């Protein structure tokens, strides 16, 4: 599989405040290859194996205060790397992964990214549906 690179959709209203955090178009991307999914969001990094991505769905529109910048969800511990409110993709992980803090003490079960082409990211990450459970006859 070729390497797929997905850029973030930057809402012009938020470019200056995000740039102050080191979050610029040239420092942000989601990269998907045969083995890994890597998210770079300015100084923040999240990396996992493709097999660890157990779900992916399109989301949005979002409220700006919940998505713009790096965010930790207090509800489920997920991380959001957002640059706009229009649309994004939420990736669910089988095993939580670090993303907001160095080391493994803060790991996330999901990550939301506001890429320019959510449908293309979803197509690059086909997630197999869960196997049906076997019921005794």
């Amino acid at each position: 599989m070729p390497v797929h690179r997905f850029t973030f959709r930057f809402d012009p209203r938020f470019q200056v405040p995000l740039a102050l955090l080191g979050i610029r178009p040239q420092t942000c991307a989601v990269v998907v290859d045969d083995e890994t999914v890597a998210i770079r969001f300015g100084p923040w990094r999240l990396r996992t194996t493709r097999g660890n991505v157990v779900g992916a769905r399109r989301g949005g529109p979002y409220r700006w205060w919940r998505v713009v910048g790096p965010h930790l969800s207090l509800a489920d511990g997920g991380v959001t790397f957002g640059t706009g409110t229009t649309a994004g993709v939420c990736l669910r992980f089988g095993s939580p992964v670090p993303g907001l803090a160095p080391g493994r003490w803060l790991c996330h079960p999901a990550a939301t990214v506001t890429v320019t082409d959510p449908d293309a990211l979803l197509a690059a990450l086909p997630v197999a549906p869960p196997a049906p459970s076997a019921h005794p006859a």
Side-chain angles (χ1 to χ4, degrees):
M1 172 184 166
V3 174
H4 296 281
R5 186 178 201 290
F6 302 93
T7 59
F8 278 71
R9 179 188 313 263
F10 275 79
D11 185 317
R13 297 176 293 167
F14 306 117
Q15 278 191 290
V16 171
L18 289 170
L20 295 173
L21 296 172
I23 301 165
R24 299 175 181 90
Q26 62 270 26
T27 66
C28 297
V30 177
V31 178
V32 178
D33 64 25
D34 283 338
E35 298 175 9
T36 61
V37 175
I39 301 168
R40 179 177 179 205
F41 192 68
W44 290 272
R45 307 279 191 283
L46 185 150
R47 184 179 185 93
T48 192
T49 62
R50 278 189 68 151
N52 193 38
V53 179
V54 296
R57 65 178 171 80
R58 186 182 172 107
Y62 305 105
R63 295 182 179 116
W64 72 266
W65 62 88
R66 289 192 174 187
V67 73
V68 175
H71 287 274
L72 172 66
S73 168
L74 298 178
D76 68 0
V79 63
T80 298
F81 296 124
T83 54
T85 60
T86 305
V89 174
C90 179
L91 308 173
R92 284 186 307 106
F93 307 122
S95 297
V97 296
L100 280 181
R104 300 219 38 101
W105 67 273
L106 180 60
C107 293
H108 312 286
T112 297
V113 292
T114 57
V115 294
T116 56
D117 192 347
D119 295 329
L121 177 54
L122 289 169
L125 284 171
V127 177
S133 58
H135 295 292

